[in-house]
Amino acid sequence: MADFSIDEMQEMQKILQDKYKHKWEQISPDTGKNKLLWMIGEIGEVIDIIKKNGDDNANGNTETRKHLVEELADVLMYYNDVLLCFGITSDELKQVYTEKFKKNMERW
C-alpha cells in the first residue's frame, strides 16, 4: 500500500465539507477552535478504547483494533479540518515538523 499523504486526506476533507456545507460549520479560522475541540473529543474516544480494553487487546483483538483505528481516523479527519481552517499546507507542515524533529534530536 502506498503512503497516505496529508494532501490526499485534505482533499477528501474538502469533498466532505462541500457535501455537508449546509449542515456543518464552514472551514475558516473562526471554526478552527471548534474543530480542535471536536478532535480532542475523538482523542478521548481513542483513550477510552485503550483504557477499557487494555494495551494488548487494543493491539491484538481484531474488533477492538478496528474500532481503535476508526477512532484514530476520526482524529485525523478533524486534524485535517484544523489544517484547512488555518490554511496550513503539507509543505509548511513538513518544514516545521522537520525543524522540530531536528531540535528534539539535539535536546538530550
Side-chain angles (χ1 to χ4, degrees):
M1 176 188 224
D3 288 341
F4 190 31
S5 72
I6 288 175
D7 287 333
E8 289 173 290
M9 286 186 262
Q10 285 187 337
E11 202 52 46
M12 293 168 82
Q13 283 309 107
K14 288 176 187 175
I15 292 167
L16 268 176
Q17 290 295 330
D18 186 55
K19 179 175 180 167
Y20 296 108
K21 63 185 168 193
H22 301 294
K23 295 182 179 192
W24 292 357
E25 293 178 302
Q26 297 300 302
I27 293 295
S28 72
D30 292 338
T31 61
K33 177 182 70 174
N34 293 341
K35 298 295 184 179
L36 279 167
L37 292 172
W38 283 104
M39 184 177 74
I40 290 168
E42 294 297 338
I43 291 169
E45 290 185 33
V46 170
I47 292 166
D48 282 345
I49 292 168
I50 294 170
K51 183 174 67 176
K52 290 176 183 175
N53 297 286
D55 301 350
D56 291 336
N57 200 19
N59 196 37
N61 180 287
T62 304
E63 284 303 311
T64 303
R65 184 169 180 80
K66 181 179 177 186
H67 191 203
L68 175 66
V69 173
E70 182 179 312
E71 294 304 330
L72 284 168
D74 287 343
V75 171
L76 279 173
M77 288 179 145
Y78 281 111
Y79 171 79
N80 277 287
D81 278 349
V82 170
L83 294 177
L84 290 170
C85 282
F86 294 104
I88 299 169
T89 66
S90 61
D91 288 337
E92 183 180 11
L93 184 63
K94 181 179 180 179
Q95 178 185 347
V96 174
Y97 188 97
T98 302
E99 290 169 4
K100 184 73 173 177
F101 172 79
K102 289 175 184 176
K103 183 190 272 185
N104 285 334
M105 288 298 291
E106 296 171 358
R107 184 173 268 172
W108 293 282

